[in-house]
RNA sequence: GGCGGGGUAGCUCAGUUGGUUAGAGCGCGGGACUCAUAAGCCCGAGGUCAGUGGUUCGAUCCCACUUCCCGCUACCA
C-alpha cells in the first residue's frame, strides 16, 4: 500500500521581499517533507504566493503596471527563495493561475448552492496596509487623518455591499470537530486559544469586496471579487486539481496531513478553513500547526528598529545548511525563537564544526592513515559498539513519532546527542593505542564510520547538502538514504573504498 | 476585564504521574590525551526551581494568594 503525505506552507503575500518568517515556515516544512520521503512516503509539498487584494492592485497602479505582470515579478522572488532555501517542494501555486481561479469559483458556487453565502452590507474602518477592519474605538485622529490606534496605519471608512459566509452556523459543529480531533490544532496552547475564540461566538464572515477589482470574480455577480481567505486558503485544494475530486492527486493527498503556518494566521486556518470545507461537504485537513516567530535578539524584526536579518544575506554569509540547522536546533519548536549573528556563529562553531564536522574529519583521517581509505574487514562488535550503533537503530519509531508530532526540537537534540556519544566513543576506545589488536582496531573504525553514516542520514532532512556531501564519501546514492538502511549496523561493505573529505563547516573566528 | 501559557544555573532551554546529591548545551575554571577544524574527552564552580502561605511524613512539581512576562479575547467608550 502506498503511503502518502501532503504538507503545505502558507502561500506568501508578495507585497514585500521575503523575510525570515517566510524562510522559517518553509524550512521547517521542508524538513518534515524530506523526513517523510526518507521513510518512503510519497510526499506532496506545496508552497506558493497569494497575489490578490487592494494592496497589490494599488502598488501595481503606482508603478503603472498591469497587476498580473506586477505579480509575475513579485512571485518570482518567492519562487527563487524556494530554490535558495533548497526546498523540496513538488509544486508552487499562484492564486492568479487558472487552476486556482476555477477551483475557488467552484467552491463558491457550492457554498452558494448550499445556502451558505448571502448578500448583505458591510461598513467599517478599513486599513489597506493592515488588510483589516477596525471598530470605532480602535480609531483615533492624528493630523486630521484617521489612523488605527493599534497599528498606527491609515484607515478609511468603507461602506459597501458584501457577500457573507454563514460562519455563525458552524460554531457547534467546529467545536465538535475539535473535540473529535484533539490534535487538529497544535501546539496545545494555540488550540486553547482557538477553542476559546470559537466558544465566544462566531459572526458571519464577509467574503467579497466591491471596492477593488484585483481578485477572483464572484461567479454570479461580476461587481464583486472574492475576498482574501476564501480565495487564499483554497489554494491547498486547487493544487490537487480540485474541483476534480476523482483524480489521483486529490484522492491520494486530501485531506492534507499538515498545514504548517505561523501563529499569526492560525484563526483563518483553524476556524474559517474547516468551516468552509465542512460547509462544502469536503473533509478538513488533518492538522494545522501554528509555529512561533523568529525574533531578532528579543525584539520583533522591523524596519524602524533596523534589526532585520535578511535570510538571503544570512545564507550568503554563513551558508544555507547553517541557517537551516540553526532554526531547527536552536528554536524550541512551537515557541518564539531568536536569531542573532553571535548565536548563529556560536551554533556553527560548536555543533556543526566542532561536533559534527570534526567527527567526520577525525574518523576519515584516521582511516586514511591506517586503512588507506578502505572500509575495514574482519570486525567483531562488542557491547559498547552495539550500544552506540543501536542508539539509532533501536529508536527509528521514536524518531518517526517526533516528526509526526512536530517535535522538531526533540528530533534535533536526539541527533546532537548521537554526535556527542560518537565523539566520546572514539575518544574512549582510543584506536590510536590499539594498533596491535587488529580486530579491535578494525571494529572501532568500522563502527565510527557506520555511526557517521547513520547520523548523516538523520541529518539529511535538516542539512541536505552537507548530508549528501558526507554520505558521498561512502559512495552512497540517494536510493541508499532511507530508514531501511539506517537500521542496518553493517551496511558498509568491508574493503569498499571511501573518499577523503574536506572541511564541512569552517569555524568562524570571532575576531573577524 | 476574562481565558490561557510561562517565570528552573551567567545565557538558551529540558525535567519532575510529589520522595534521598534538580539536568543539557553554550560560556567560565582545571586536568589527562593526541586520531582531528587548538577540535574531542574528563573533572569542577555556579541554582533558597519568581514570592508568600497551605495540603502532605515529604513540594521545584498539588492548592490559594501576590508579583512579573507573553499570547488570545472583550470592553470600558
Amino acid at each position: 500500500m502506498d503511503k502518502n503525505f501532503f504538507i503545505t506552507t502558507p502561500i506568501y503575500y508578495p507585497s514585500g521581499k521575503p523575510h525570515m518568517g517566510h524562510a522559517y515556515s518553509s524550512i521547517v516544512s521542508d524538513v518534515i517533507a524530506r523526513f517523510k520521503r526518507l521513510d518512503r512516503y510519497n510526499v506532496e509539498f506545496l508552497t506558493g504566493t497569494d497575489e490578490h487584494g487592494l494592496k497589490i492592485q494599488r502598488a501595481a497602479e503606482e508603478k503603472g503596471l498591469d497587476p498580473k505582470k506586477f505579480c509575475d515579478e513579485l512571485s518570482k522572488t518567492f519562487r527563487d527563495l524556494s530554490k535558495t532555501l533548497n526546498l523540496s517542494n513538488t509544486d508552487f501555486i499562484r492564486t492568479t493561475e487558472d487552476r486556482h481561479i476555477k477551483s475557488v469559483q467552484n467552491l463558491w458556487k457550492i457554498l452558494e448552492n448550499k445556502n451558505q453565502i448571502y448578500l448583505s452590507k458591510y461598513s467599517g474602518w478599513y486599513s489597506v496596509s493592515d488588510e483589516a477592519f477596525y471598530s470605532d474605538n480602535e480609531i483615533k485622529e492624528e493630523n486630521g487623518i484617521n489612523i488605527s490606534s493599534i497599528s498606527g496605519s491609515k484607515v478609511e471608512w468603507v461602506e459597501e455591499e458584501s457577500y457573507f459566509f454563514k460562519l455563525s452556523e458552524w460554531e457547534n459543529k467546529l467545536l465538535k470537530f475539535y473535540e473529535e480531533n484533539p490534535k487538529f490544532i497544535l501546539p496545545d496552547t494555540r488550540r486553547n486559544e482557538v477553542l476559546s475564540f470559537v466558544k465566544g461566538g462566531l459572526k458571519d464572515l464577509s467574503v467579497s469586496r466591491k471596492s477593488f477589482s484585483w481578485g477572483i470574480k464572484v461567479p454570479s455577480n461580476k461587481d464583486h471579487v472574492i475576498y482574501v481567505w476564501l480565495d487564499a486558503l483554497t489554494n491547498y485544494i486547487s493544487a490537487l486539481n480540485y474541483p476534480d475530486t476523482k483524480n489521483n492527486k486529490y484522492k491520494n493527498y486530501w485531506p492534507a496531513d499538515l498545514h504548517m503556518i505561523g501563529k499569526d494566521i492560525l484563526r483563518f486556518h483553524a476556524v474559517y478553513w474547516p468551516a468552509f470545507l465542512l460547509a462544502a461537504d469536503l473533509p478538513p485537513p488533518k492538522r494545522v500547526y501554528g509555529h512561533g516567530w523568529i525574533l531578532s535578539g528579543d525584539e520583533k524584526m522591523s524596519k524602524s528598529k533596523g534589526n532585520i536579518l535578511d535570510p538571503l544575506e544570512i545564507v550568503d554569509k554563513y551558508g544555507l545548511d547553517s541557517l537551516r540547522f540553526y532554526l531547527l536546533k536552536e528554536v524550541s519548536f512551537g515557541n518564539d525563537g531568536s536569531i542573532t549573528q553571535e548565536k548563529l556563529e556560536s551554533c556553527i562553531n560548536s555543533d556543526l564544526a566542532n561536533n559534527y564536522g570534526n567527527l567526520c574529519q577525525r574518523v576519515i583521517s584516521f582511516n586514511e592513515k591506517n586503512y588507506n581509505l578502505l572500509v575495514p574487514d574482519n570486525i567483531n562488535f562488542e557491547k559498547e559498539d552495539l550500544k552506540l550503533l543501536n542508539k539509532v537503530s533501536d529508536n527509528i519509531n521514536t524518531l518517526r513519532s517526533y516528526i509526526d508530532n512536530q517535535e522538531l526540537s526533540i528530533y534535533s537534540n536526539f541527533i546532537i546527542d548521537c554526535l556527542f556519544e560518537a565523539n566520546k566513543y572514539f575518544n574512549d576506545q582510543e584506536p590510536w593505542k590499539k594498533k596491535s589488536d587488529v580486530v579491535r582496531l578494525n571494529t572501532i573504525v568500522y563502527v565510527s564510520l557506520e555511526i557517521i553514516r547513520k547520523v548523516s542520514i538523520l541529518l539529511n532532512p535538516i542539512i541536505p547538502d552537507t548530508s549528501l556531501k558526507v554520505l558521498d564519501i561512502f559512495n552512497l546514492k540517494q536510493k541508499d538514504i532511507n530508514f531501511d538502511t539506517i537500521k542496518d549496523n553493517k551496511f558498509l561493505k568491508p574493503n569498499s573504498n571511501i573518499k577523503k573529505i574536506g572541511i564541512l563547516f569552517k569555524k568562524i573566528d570571532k575576531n573577524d
Side-chain angles (χ1 to χ4, degrees), chain A residues 246-262:
Chain A
K246 297 282 185 285
N247 84 92
N248 280 336
K249 240 182 167 179
Y250 185 91
K251 282 197 311 204
N252 290 338
Y253 292 116
W254 194 261
D257 294 274
L258 179 60
H259 291 320
M260 181 60 72
I261 57 164

Side-chain angles (χ1 to χ4, degrees), chain A residues 131 160 175 193 273 289 366 370 470 511:
Chain A
E131 294 177 278
E160 64 182 40
L175 289 171
E193 286 174 12
W273 183 224
Y289 193 102
F366 189 87
N370 296 280
V470 175
N511 299 321

Side-chain angles (χ1 to χ4, degrees), chain A residues 192-209:
Chain A
N192 288 341
E193 286 174 12
V194 171
L195 252 59
S196 72
F197 174 76
V198 174
K199 282 177 186 161
L202 296 173
K203 279 186 260 179
D204 288 350
L205 187 69
S206 167
V207 288
S208 79
R209 286 291 180 277

Side-chain angles (χ1 to χ4, degrees), chain A residues 160-177:
Chain A
E160 64 182 40
E161 195 181 65
S162 168
Y163 285 91
F164 284 80
F165 170 72
K166 290 182 181 169
L167 185 63
S168 57
E169 286 187 359
W170 291 91
E171 186 179 324
N172 289 327
K173 288 167 201 157
L174 283 170
L175 289 171
K176 182 161 170 271
F177 174 71

Side-chain angles (χ1 to χ4, degrees), chain A residues 167 170-171 173-175 177-179 181 183-187 190-195 197-198 202 229 233 236 259 261-278 284-290:
Chain A
L167 185 63
W170 291 91
E171 186 179 324
K173 288 167 201 157
L174 283 170
L175 289 171
F177 174 71
Y178 300 144
E179 195 185 330
N181 300 277
K183 289 185 148 189
F184 172 63
I185 303 163
L186 286 182
R190 300 282 155 223
R191 175 184 149 86
N192 288 341
E193 286 174 12
V194 171
L195 252 59
F197 174 76
V198 174
L202 296 173
W229 291 107
L233 290 162
Y236 300 130
H259 291 320
I261 57 164
K263 63 183 184 181
D264 48 325
I265 51 175
L266 181 64
R267 186 194 302 171
F268 314 111
H269 284 78
V271 181
Y272 302 168
W273 183 224
F276 295 153
L277 291 166
L278 289 169
K286 293 178 195 161
R287 178 165 304 165
V288 173
Y289 193 102

